[in-house]
Amino acid sequence: EEIQKNRIVVVGFGKSGSQIIDSLIKTQSTKVEFITIDADGNYKNFINTLEGADIVFITGGLGGQTGYAAVPEIAKFAKHAGALTILVTTKPFVFEKKKRHVIAQESLARVKKVSDCVVIISNNKIFSTIDRKIKNSEIFKIADGVITQTITGIIGTLSANSQNDININIEDLQSIMSNSGMAFVGIG
């Protein structure tokens, strides 16, 4: 199987990233490595484990300090080590504090410079498609689920045994996503 030949690492940052990693561990049947970073200081302990990775996904919600401090450094190291570096993230919901929106914009500006591809999932679009009576904690779970599906879908295209209609090798994926900039996931 093609994916077994490639080293894929998913780094989850912050609370959202930890929950996404938990979901991915439950859904991935292929060999993928997972790292969870729950504080902006502890990413330095894991950064060398990215050496030799072919693809590094960095995931979680932007808007907190962990994303601001750790994500650009992780992306810079992964890309410098030769990995296809893909950030899959959300920006804060419309109902979240303005400070989180400012931090998210600053984080995004920093990480775009050092990632091959930044995939943004619109939390506001998710919010517009769900029942407004749902608790915030459930809304966050829905957003994390969309990120999980996005990462699983990209990884699935590399698997010869995938249920996806598309099957590519890592060189194809690198050709498509290397230095490609911003990407968006459509919802609804």
Side-chain angles (χ1 to χ4, degrees), residues 4-173:
Q4 298 298 329
K5 297 177 188 174
N6 303 305
R7 183 165 175 242
I8 299 172
V9 180
V10 182
V11 180
F13 63 90
K15 184 177 180 181
S16 173
S18 295
Q19 293 171 341
I20 293 164
I21 292 291
D22 288 344
S23 296
L24 285 167
I25 288 170
K26 292 174 189 169
T27 62
Q28 286 300 312
S29 60
T30 57
K31 187 178 177 188
V32 177
E33 297 171 42
F34 300 100
I35 299 170
T36 302
I37 296 170
D38 54 13
D40 53 332
N42 79 357
Y43 74 90
K44 293 174 183 165
N45 298 330
F46 300 104
I47 210 157
N48 288 334
T49 63
L50 302 178
E51 192 76 43
D54 295 297
I55 302 174
V56 174
F57 288 94
I58 305 166
T59 189
L62 291 179
Q65 288 303 316
T66 303
Y68 182 79
V71 171
E73 294 302 314
I74 295 164
K76 185 181 349 176
F77 184 85
K79 188 167 169 97
H80 181 73
L84 177 64
T85 306
I86 305 168
L87 172 68
V88 183
T89 190
T90 58
K91 293 195 291 185
F93 282 99
V94 64
F95 58 78
E96 293 185 76
K97 294 178 184 174
K98 183 177 180 179
K99 180 179 178 183
R100 292 187 65 79
H101 290 269
V102 171
I103 291 171
Q105 281 304 116
E106 291 174 3
S107 300
L108 193 56
R110 292 175 65 214
V111 79
K112 282 193 315 190
K113 296 175 185 175
V114 291
S115 295
D116 285 300
C117 185
V118 176
V119 180
I120 298 178
I121 296 162
S122 172
N123 271 345
N124 290 334
K125 186 65 175 171
I126 293 171
F127 191 60
S128 72
T129 63
I130 59 175
D131 182 353
R132 300 286 169 105
K133 296 175 186 169
I134 295 176
K135 292 185 211 173
N136 286 356
S137 61
E138 291 301 313
I139 295 170
F140 290 120
K141 284 182 185 175
I142 292 168
D144 292 346
V146 173
I147 291 176
T148 300
Q149 291 171 358
T150 302
I151 294 171
T152 301
I154 294 170
I155 292 171
T157 63
L158 296 171
S159 174
N161 297 328
S162 169
Q163 294 179 352
N164 291 331
D165 292 333
I166 300 171
N167 184 281
I168 61 177
N169 64 31
I170 195 163
E171 290 80 16
D172 294 331
L173 187 64

